[in-house]
Amino acid sequence: MGRHHHRLAPARLIPARVVPAVGVTLLALLPLAFLAVFFVLPVGGMLVRGFYPDGAWDLSGVGEVLGRDRTTRVLGFTIGMATLGTALTLLLGLPLAFVLYRLVFPGRALLRAIVVMPFVLPTVVVGVMFRALLSSGGPLGFLGWDRSWLAILLAFVFFNLAVVVRTVGGMWEGLDRRAEESAAALGASPVHVFRTVTLPALLPSIVSAGTLVFLFCSTAFGVVLTLGGLRYGTIESEIYLLTTEFLDLQGAAVLSVIQLIAVVVMLALAARARSRSEATTDRAAARSVARAPRGSDAPLLVIAGLVVAFVLTPVLTLVARSLRGGSGWTLEHYRALADPSATTAMRVSILEAVQNSVSTAVDATIIAMVLGVCVSIVVSRRPRRAGARRLVSVLDGAFMLPLGISAVTVGFGFLITLDRPPLDLRTSAVLVPIAQALVALPLVVRTITPVLRSVDPRIRQAAAALGAGPLRAAWTAEGPVLGRPLLAATGFAFAVSLGEFGATSFLARPDRPTVPVMIYELIGRPGTDNMGMALAASVVLSLLTVSVMGLVERLRVGSVGSF
């Protein structure tokens, strides 16, 4: 026993050997340097231009900007719409999450893919979809909701349903059913079981999803710009207008700071809820069993069916209207996309725009994956010391920031800070993929990190005890479970990069537009032909992104699209 004990003793020191602190630090340096140069510097540069205009701090305009009637309206509209959008998304998303993750029936995988689809659709395309649905001549044009706040609200719900369904559904699927079954066996009604047993267990994931939906609604750009124009403005679209139309950098800086503070608070809330959610899942995942639908599930099945119809209606309307011309069904809008001379709104053909989008997205995906894997390895570690754990939490939150900070602020910050040696990148083609990688990076981290955290650290310890070096021990424990998540994260990052619009609209060169930029140019010009071509281009872009996400869904990685 003594000799045996002597052999096992070094294993207690293994955490320091398996991934030495210096190794983790080196791994964190590359993404930290990237974040410092391409996020902190541009955002900081934007703020300095606003608050430090002539070599001296000038905060006198803060009160003036906050006192403007338009600022008050924009803040009120942003908070009000985000609150309504979050409440409605949760109301519709929870029944759908139950049906898609606690019940088993034919076609469930297809319905899951349909519900996730809107989240990867470009925001400009979502705006075009609801314009096609609600404008005069559209199936719901009689409602008179075109260019109204209701159209923006519906688009918010359409876009964010996937966040609620994937986040809460994943948690619901892993809940231990024994507590529910025990309560039911003691005579509790289904409603009482849900209120006293299920809801408290789901609450962390509901809070996490709700916080992120609020964040996405309050920082929405493409949807608001497409559906609201100048009449309705959120903080994000107002930053765009102040920057590009009025050159009011101080006003834009004030709004950027307000948005930054709000984003940090919401991300902290989401992280806190997420950690509680992960702890609950770890304890209970082994007892998850989905079941066939019962008669008592009928109301929830009806609600889920209506929500799926709500998701499909704008999509089908977009496809149908792209095929309608003055003489009936036609492909003329698609043919016109191949001819750059068909309209002054296009400088290149759709094929060239697709090539630009794909090549840019490939570059962005490579950057996001390299950085995302480094970040995921670092933030998935659970150090024993409290200080180290807090540092890991701070790093985790820091790399989520690009998800909520104004893409407009980042894009404009690129132009005004990366304009002198050694970082004179204003005319460089690398700016667009770098900006898109910033958007995709948090999604890669959120896809891979939960998988790494699910690996039992004792496997690494055992490998190290058998003589494996730190890298070999880590690969032995984590390599076998990383294949599919890496592929899924790659596809997810590629799909999101394809549709990125906020920063790309600032940075794409006029002779190299991406498809989302081309769509926005088309809908900004009058004429039914331009609108028809925008619809056709939206269909092309949707097919690209949905095809990629269809392949990702086949990998069955639960952390994709969940937060």
Side-chain angles (χ1 to χ4, degrees), residues 267-305:
L267 286 178
L269 285 174
R272 184 181 174 84
R274 190 169 58 247
S275 63
R276 291 178 60 192
S277 176
E278 286 176 357
T280 308
T281 303
D282 288 345
R283 288 195 302 269
R287 282 280 300 168
S288 167
V289 180
R291 60 171 174 79
R294 302 169 183 157
S296 58
D297 298 322
L300 295 176
L301 287 168
V302 170
I303 294 173

Side-chain angles (χ1 to χ4, degrees), residues 14-269:
I14 285 170
R17 292 176 50 201
V18 172
V19 183
V22 64
V24 174
T25 304
L26 289 175
L27 209 54
L29 283 181
L30 178 63
L32 279 174
F34 182 85
L35 197 69
V37 174
F38 296 112
F39 182 73
V40 177
L41 183 62
V43 173
M46 176 80 177
L47 299 182
V48 167
R49 286 291 180 98
F51 296 128
Y52 198 73
D54 300 312
W57 290 105
D58 179 12
L59 302 179
S60 60
V62 175
E64 187 270 327
V65 173
L66 293 177
R68 295 175 189 170
D69 289 341
R70 182 171 174 83
T71 302
T72 306
R73 283 201 307 274
V74 165
L75 288 174
F77 185 77
T78 302
I79 295 171
M81 288 296 291
T83 305
L84 276 176
T86 304
L88 196 53
T89 307
L90 286 172
L91 198 64
L92 297 176
L94 292 179
L96 192 57
F98 172 82
V99 169
L100 294 183
Y101 286 86
R102 288 303 286 261
L103 301 182
V104 179
F105 53 88
R108 185 177 72 156
L110 176 63
L111 291 183
R112 284 187 180 184
I114 288 173
V115 171
V116 170
M117 172 183 61
F119 188 71
V120 296
L121 285 178
T123 53
V124 172
V125 171
V126 174
V128 171
M129 280 181 177
F130 279 86
R131 290 279 308 273
L133 181 68
L134 299 172
S135 63
S136 60
L140 300 180
F142 64 91
L143 294 173
W145 290 358
D146 188 28
R147 297 284 185 181
S148 74
W149 63 272
L150 282 166
I152 299 173
L153 179 63
L154 292 178
F156 281 174
V157 176
F158 174 85
F159 190 74
N160 289 301
L161 267 173
V163 177
V164 174
V165 172
R166 294 301 292 257
T167 304
V168 181
M171 180 71 185
W172 215 331
E173 189 176 39
L175 278 186
D176 191 339
R177 299 187 64 177
R178 286 174 295 187
E180 295 173 310
E181 291 166 355
S182 299
L186 291 171
S189 67
V191 173
H192 191 69
V193 170
F194 177 78
R195 188 169 57 80
T196 58
V197 179
T198 310
L199 187 58
L202 289 179
L203 202 54
S205 61
I206 293 174
V207 172
S208 175
T211 306
L212 287 165
V213 171
F214 188 92
L215 178 67
F216 292 148
C217 290
S218 57
T219 57
F221 176 61
V223 166
V224 177
L225 202 62
T226 310
L227 292 174
L230 296 177
R231 186 178 178 190
Y232 298 105
T234 59
I235 291 180
E236 184 88 358
S237 63
E238 188 68 7
I239 292 172
Y240 176 80
L241 286 177
L242 291 175
T243 305
T244 60
E245 301 292 330
F246 305 116
L247 298 178
D248 181 1
L249 296 187
Q250 188 167 56
V254 171
L255 293 182
S256 294
V257 169
I258 292 173
Q259 191 181 46
L260 178 63
I261 294 170
V263 165
V264 169
V265 171
M266 284 185 281
L267 286 178
L269 285 174

Side-chain angles (χ1 to χ4, degrees), residues 350-365:
I350 185 68
L351 289 177
E352 290 175 76
V354 168
Q355 286 176 355
N356 294 337
S357 288
V358 170
S359 63
T360 306
V362 168
D363 295 340
T365 303

